[in-house]
Coordinates of all heavy atoms in Angstrom, one line a residue:
R85 N 6.9 -4.1 -47.3 CA 7.7 -3.7 -48.5 C 8.5 -2.5 -48.1 O 9.8 -2.3 -48.5 CB 7.1 -3.4 -49.9 CG 6.6 -4.7 -50.5 CD 6.0 -4.4 -51.9 NE 5.2 -5.5 -52.3 CZ 4.1 -5.3 -52.9 NH1 3.6 -4.2 -53.2 NH2 3.5 -6.4 -53.3
P107 N -16.9 -0.5 -31.4 CA -17.0 -1.2 -32.7 C -17.3 -0.2 -33.8 O -17.7 0.9 -33.6 CB -18.2 -2.2 -32.5 CG -18.8 -1.8 -31.3 CD -17.9 -1.0 -30.5
A138 N 9.2 -9.2 -47.9 CA 8.1 -8.5 -47.4 C 7.0 -9.4 -47.0 O 6.3 -9.3 -45.9 CB 7.6 -7.5 -48.4
I149 N 1.6 -10.9 -33.7 CA 0.2 -10.2 -33.3 C -0.8 -11.2 -32.8 O -1.4 -11.1 -31.7 CB -0.2 -9.3 -34.4 CG1 0.7 -8.1 -34.5 CG2 -1.6 -8.8 -34.0 CD1 0.5 -7.2 -35.6

Side-chain angles (χ1 to χ4, degrees):
R85 285 191 195 135
I149 290 171

